[in-house]
Each structure stands twice: as C-alpha cells, then as structure tokens.
Amino acid sequence: MSVLLLNDDDVRTRLDAATAVRAVRGALLAAHEGALHAPPRIHADLGDGRLVFTAGRLCSEELFGFRAYDTLVGAEQLVAVWGSDDGRLRAVVHGDELGARRTGAIGAVAVDAAARPGEIRLGLVGAGTQAWAQLWAIRAVRRVREVAVAARRPERAQAFARRAAGELEVRVRAVRTVEEAVRDHDVVVVATNSDVPVLDADWITPGTHVTTLGPKTVARHEVPASLADRAHVLLTDSLAQATGYAEPHILPTDRLVDLGAVLAKAARGRTDPEQITVFCSVGLAGTDVAVAAALCEEVRRSA
Amino acid sequence: MSVLLLNDDDVRTRLDAATAVRAVRGALLAAHEGALHAPPRIHADLGDGRLVFTAGRLCSEELFGFRAYDTLVGAEQLVAVWGSDDGRLRAVVHGDELGARRTGAIGAVAVDAAARPGEIRLGLVGAGTQAWAQLWAIRAVRRVREVAVAARRPERAQAFARRAAGELEVRVRAVRTVEEAVRDHDVVVVATNSDVPVLDADWITPGTHVTTLGPKTVARHEVPASLADRAHVLLTDSLAQATGYAEPHILPTDRLVDLGAVLAKAARGRTDPEQITVFCSVGLAGTDVAVAAALCEEVRRSA
C-alpha cells in the first residue's frame, strides 16, 4: 500500500462534510475516553518564526500523526498519518483546506450537540475560510434554512454569498451589520481575527448557540467578556488547550465543559431551548489526523 | 511545481554520496556562520512513546523543514522540505534511508576535514545501517584502500562484506575481533548500540581518525572515557546538541570543537599526522532537510 499524497484540490473534491464530522466526533469521544493522546502543541524556533506541531494518537483506530504549520512565512500546512500497527506512513495531506475543514467539523459537532433541535437559521460574523468551513460542515448535521453573513468589508460578505449559492446551493444573505447576523438566529458563528469584541452580548437571542473561533484571550478577544453572563453553558473541544494558553482566557475557564463529555453523556450541555450555549473552539490536537485518515480511506475506497 | 514524494528506493537509487556530502558540508558551514537555525529537537508524548521533531532552516538556500521520527512503534521516518521564498512544500521523503545517509555524509565531512590526507584504510566496528552509510559516504571524500569490519555476530560482518563488494565494489574483510578493525587503520568508525565500551583506547594507532556514532553518555557509551586522553582533537557536528543531553557526556564536552568552525578555518582540527582525532557524531538538525532538498533537486533535474 503506497503513501497517499493529497493536496487542497483533493480535500475540496474528495472530503465530504459528513465524513469529516464523523471522524471528528470519533476523536472527541476518544479524547473523553482516554483513547486519544493529544498533548499540547510544541514548536521549534527558526529565527523569525516557528514550526508548530500538533500531534495526536488515536488508539482505537491504530493511528498517529501530526499537523505542522509555520509562523515564518505562512507556508502550506502538512498533515501526516501513520498506522501504529505496522508503522507505515499512510498519507500526507498538504495545503490549508484540511485544517479549516476539520475546524468546521468540530464546530458542526458542537452545533449538533448543543444547538436547539431542528432546522436552523445561521448567522456568520466573518466571511473568510473559517466561516466558510463552518457552513460547509454544519450542513452535515442540520438543515440550514437561511444564512446571514456580515463582514468588515461588505464586498467580502457578498462574494461569500455568491460562492455559497454556487458551490453549496445554500441561500446566503450578505447583511450590513454584525447585529443583523447575530439577532434572531439559532446558531451564530463568530469567525474573525479581531482583537476587540465585534458584537454586543445583548444582541444574542435566547436559545442561540454561539461558536467563537477567533481570539479569546484577555489581551485579544472577538467576543465580549459579558458573553459569559448570558451563556448557560460554555463548551470547548479541549479543556487542556483552552486552559493552557499563556494569556488568561476572556471567558471563565472554570465553567468550560468538555464537548467530548457531552457527546458521551457524561456531562450536560443544553437542558432548555431558551438557553444560550457557547462553544469555544480551540482545535483539539489529533482531530486533523483523524480527518486526514478518514479522507485517505475515502480516496482508497473509491480508487 | 508539484510536491515530490520519495521513498527508500528513491533515496537508494537517486541520492549519490557526493551530493549528500556537499549538502551536509553546506549546512555545517551555514550553522557556523549563523545561517542555519537548528534548535534542539522537540517531542510530543503519545502515551507509550513519542513523536520527535528535528527542525531546521537554511537561510542561504531559502529552505526550512524537519525530520519526524517516533519511539512508539519505530515507524518509518518523514522529512519535509518547504521553500521559505514561496511557502510551498517541495518534498516529502519517507523511510529510514535518508536519515542514515545524511549521518554517513556528516561522518564523511569529518573524515575529509580531520583524517590524514590521502587514501585510507578503514576499520568499521558494527555492521548495521549506520556503518554501511558511513562507508557509502566516505568513498565520496577519500579513496578507500581497504576495509575491515567487525561485528558482535560474525555472520553480519560477512554479509556486510558481501554487500559492499556487490553494491559499492569495495573489498571489505570481515574480521573476528574489534581490535583487528581498530589497530592500524587511518579511519575507525564505531557504529554500535552498545552500552559499554567495545574497544580499548590503547588499540588506536597514532594518526587515526575515529568516528563514534553510538551512545556517548556516562550511563551508556560505546567508547571508553580514556579515549579523551589519547585524542588530540575532539570534534562534533553540533556543540549545542552534544552538550544538551540530560545525561552527561562520557567525553569532556569543554574540549569539543565545532566541525563547521574547522571547515570555515575558524578553529583548528588536526595539526599533525600522528595526532588522534575523534569525531562525536550527534546529527546536526537541519542536515536532513539539506540532504532531502539536494535529493529533490537531483530528481527534478533528471526528470
């Protein structure tokens, strides 16, 4: 069995959202059960930047591997997967699509676990790769009735809406203000790189599930600290990573609940349709490896 | 330009020793000049073992990358190389051949820099992959007049001799004792995994250059501490790595001279044909990346 070398085009055309969501859900459950080794990320200094590695080992799947990315030149990323049964390298996936899509899949698992049941109205704050990947993945867990997208530059929101219509056959409205994207939605995804809050916690309608993907430290945060006062449940995909940053978190980490524990029914998520739930996405290590392995299986099956 | 995916067969058939030696020499000089960033290796714990990364950035070549290997199952290794000009992944080399051959090339550069001039009689202690790679590479820097190889299991030395005759067209004598491989040789390579010294320092003839590849800590060492008393010059390919081990070194690290500095004529190596020189090979980070890049260029050129 030769090594698969896959690029962004392969990810775009061969990875479907349901497969990514299934792989990530498996990894989150494995992490809860102690069957995923996902140590904190490590880095090597290379002068003006770093190489960063996030490694993971999925015992149940007999897989291990890592994702590597840099802060030197913003080079394309690399995910490598080995079988721990035979020690053979199975796949190398390079480019930036896989990372965003696995983050999308993590967000979708959180939506599935914590948003109110039924079809959803989705609000997106930010119109970049991360927002796109969330929409792509959420469609695998919920019927999306309508989508509103707001971006700092309105033309980007419009381009996002056109792309969604073309590629995903989803009707997306570009809206002028963040408030329009936040109010009266079942799920709100905040996917910016903003250092300061882009929304007011009071805009969030009771019953909403909010995902925050961007900065979440005291020094830099895309959501306000007051979000915690309105939220009934704060979830995260990795307690270790969420609490392991050098800078303190803008939300109270002692209230964070592990998404894997909620999936395993060992912890409670939403208990009432009027509650506000917040998912702090940090990117559980090992989920990249799980998604790359699932993609690899898909490609081999169809070969 | 697509990414090259290369395996052990590619390394065996496409990488020639002179190319590997040239790449490693360039990296050693770059390290001396501050143009190679080669931070200490880092690792991620995965339960019963680790993933280990040794990263490097060659500023002059606009390259960066890493080698990854594990202590979990002894899986095949991976070397990845990016261009720092465009951030594109250039090559992924997997398997175990590249690592051994770059170690061979490092050893050959040391032989070229520190052994007496002229053709050599070579003694090998150990008949494994590392000994093989040293012989393979040394041929690129010196004419090898004769080779003696000793191994704990005589049949391995005999197999080594047959393979060398077939693949490298070098006459190798399998000898019965380590002493026969050490005495009266210009270059002696010690490439074992022994915890205890496999040779007596008194066996080393004046004028000999010795390379030690195996364990070199106080707890585990293939060469005796008394080797330092007989050696006039102790060289290493990375002072940072040689002095950075948790366990103290069996040889006095305050006497270690940087091979890159000797190549740049900023430090003295051998000054007399009767001196004994010792090279403590530790595997300068970034040399894997340099050799992988050179192989990659070779493959593209001939494509």
Side-chain angles (χ1 to χ4, degrees):
Chain A
M1 203 163 66
S2 64
V3 178
L4 280 180
L5 178 69
L6 304 171
N7 62 22
D8 278 343
D9 274 343
D10 297 313
V11 174
R12 274 189 287 262
T13 59
R14 314 294 288 272
L15 178 66
D16 88 358
T19 302
V21 167
R22 196 162 45 238
V24 160
R25 187 193 303 273
L28 284 159
L29 275 166
H32 169 70
E33 289 158 4
L36 172 72
H37 294 275
R41 65 196 69 186
I42 53 175
H43 64 265
D45 274 308
L46 296 180
D48 318 317
R50 296 164 159 191
L51 257 173
V52 185
F53 300 93
T54 117
R57 177 184 169 203
L58 267 164
C59 297
S60 50
E61 312 270 323
E62 299 200 278
L63 292 174
F64 71 97
F66 62 85
R67 176 166 62 104
Y69 62 93
D70 76 297
T71 63
L72 195 65
V73 293
E76 50 179 331
Q77 303 192 0
L78 180 152
V79 178
V81 185
W82 282 261
S84 51
D85 47 349
D86 58 4
R88 301 301 298 268
L89 182 65
R90 301 263 181 94
V92 171
V93 187
H94 64 101
D96 297 317
E97 284 291 333
L98 189 78
R101 285 173 196 244
R102 77 86 209 225
T103 307
I106 295 173
V109 171
V111 165
D112 195 31
R116 284 182 300 207
E119 61 177 23
I120 60 170
R121 291 157 305 158
L122 175 63
L124 299 172
V125 182
T129 310
Q130 294 295 340
W132 176 265
Q134 296 288 322
L135 171 59
W136 169 80
I138 286 171
R139 291 158 50 253
V141 299
R142 292 296 172 92
R143 207 177 91 75
V144 177
R145 202 168 76 200
E146 55 168 82
V147 184
V149 61
R152 208 174 52 225
R153 288 184 285 149
E155 67 275 17
R156 293 202 63 196
Q158 285 150 15
F160 186 101
R162 282 192 300 274
R163 184 181 167 200
E167 286 181 38
L168 304 178
E169 298 179 4
V170 175
R171 215 174 59 83
V172 175
R173 248 178 338 124
V175 296
R176 284 167 176 261
T177 64
V178 171
E179 189 171 350
E180 287 174 86
V182 172
R183 276 196 198 276
D184 289 324
H185 286 92
D186 304 294
V187 173
V188 170
V189 170
V190 192
T192 76
N193 198 28
S194 178
D195 289 349
V196 294
V198 294
L199 56 90
D200 188 321
D202 289 335
W203 298 343
I204 299 164
T205 310
T208 301
H209 173 77
V210 180
T211 291
T212 158
L213 289 152
K216 288 180 274 292
T217 66
V218 166
R220 304 181 56 218
H221 44 276
E222 64 172 2
V223 292
S226 57
L227 181 60
D229 306 330
R230 299 218 52 216
H232 295 83
V233 184
L234 298 178
L235 297 163
T236 188
D237 47 330
S238 169
L239 288 172
Q241 279 171 241
T243 57
Y245 289 103
E247 274 281 327
H249 206 282
I250 188 65
L251 302 178
T253 49
D254 57 341
R255 282 181 53 196
L256 285 172
V257 175
D258 182 53
L259 176 58
V262 173
L263 295 176
K265 305 202 189 306
R268 282 214 291 207
R270 172 184 297 278
T271 54
D272 184 292
E274 291 302 299
Q275 288 177 340
I276 290 175
T277 51
V278 174
F279 175 57
C280 298
S281 177
V282 293
L284 172 65
T287 48
D288 334 79
V289 173
V291 174
L295 166 61
C296 169
E297 234 177 77
E298 194 61 42
V299 170
R300 285 198 204 281
R301 200 177 5 243
S302 64
Chain B
M1 204 164 66
S2 64
V3 178
L4 280 178
L5 179 68
L6 304 171
N7 62 21
D8 278 343
D9 274 342
D10 297 311
V11 175
R12 274 189 286 261
T13 58
R14 313 295 287 272
L15 179 66
D16 87 359
T19 302
V21 166
R22 198 162 42 239
V24 160
R25 187 193 304 273
L28 284 159
L29 275 165
H32 169 69
E33 290 158 3
L36 173 73
H37 294 275
R41 63 196 71 185
I42 53 175
H43 65 264
D45 273 308
L46 296 179
D48 317 318
R50 298 165 157 191
L51 255 173
V52 185
F53 301 93
T54 118
R57 176 184 170 205
L58 266 165
C59 298
S60 50
E61 313 268 324
E62 299 200 277
L63 291 174
F64 70 96
F66 62 85
R67 177 167 61 105
Y69 62 93
D70 76 296
T71 64
L72 195 63
V73 293
E76 49 178 332
Q77 303 193 1
L78 180 153
V79 178
V81 185
W82 282 262
S84 51
D85 47 350
D86 58 4
R88 302 298 300 270
L89 182 65
R90 302 264 181 93
V92 171
V93 187
H94 64 102
D96 297 316
E97 284 290 334
L98 190 78
R101 283 172 199 245
R102 75 88 208 219
T103 307
I106 296 174
V109 171
V111 165
D112 194 32
R116 284 182 300 207
E119 63 177 21
I120 59 169
R121 291 157 303 159
L122 174 63
L124 299 172
V125 182
T129 310
Q130 294 296 340
W132 177 264
Q134 295 288 322
L135 170 59
W136 170 81
I138 286 171
R139 289 160 49 253
V141 300
R142 292 296 172 91
R143 206 178 93 72
V144 178
R145 203 168 76 201
E146 54 167 82
V147 184
V149 59
R152 209 174 51 228
R153 288 184 285 148
E155 66 277 16
R156 293 203 62 197
Q158 285 150 13
F160 187 101
R162 280 191 300 272
R163 184 180 165 202
E167 285 181 40
L168 304 178
E169 296 178 5
V170 175
R171 215 175 59 84
V172 175
R173 247 178 337 126
V175 294
R176 283 169 176 257
T177 64
V178 170
E179 189 171 350
E180 288 173 83
V182 172
R183 276 194 196 277
D184 289 322
H185 286 92
D186 304 293
V187 174
V188 170
V189 170
V190 191
T192 76
N193 198 27
S194 178
D195 288 350
V196 293
V198 294
L199 57 89
D200 188 320
D202 289 334
W203 297 343
I204 299 165
T205 310
T208 301
H209 174 76
V210 180
T211 292
T212 158
L213 290 152
K216 287 180 275 293
T217 65
V218 166
R220 303 182 57 218
H221 43 276
E222 64 172 2
V223 291
S226 58
L227 181 60
D229 306 329
R230 298 219 51 215
H232 295 83
V233 185
L234 297 177
L235 297 163
T236 188
D237 48 331
S238 170
L239 287 171
Q241 276 170 247
T243 57
Y245 291 103
E247 274 280 328
H249 204 282
I250 188 65
L251 302 177
T253 50
D254 58 341
R255 282 181 54 197
L256 284 173
V257 175
D258 181 52
L259 176 58
V262 172
L263 296 177
K265 305 204 188 305
R268 282 214 291 209
R270 170 185 299 275
T271 53
D272 184 292
E274 291 302 297
Q275 287 178 340
I276 290 174
T277 52
V278 173
F279 175 57
C280 298
S281 178
V282 293
L284 173 65
T287 47
D288 336 79
V289 173
V291 173
L295 166 62
C296 169
E297 235 177 75
E298 194 61 43
V299 169
R300 286 201 203 281
R301 203 179 0 244
S302 65

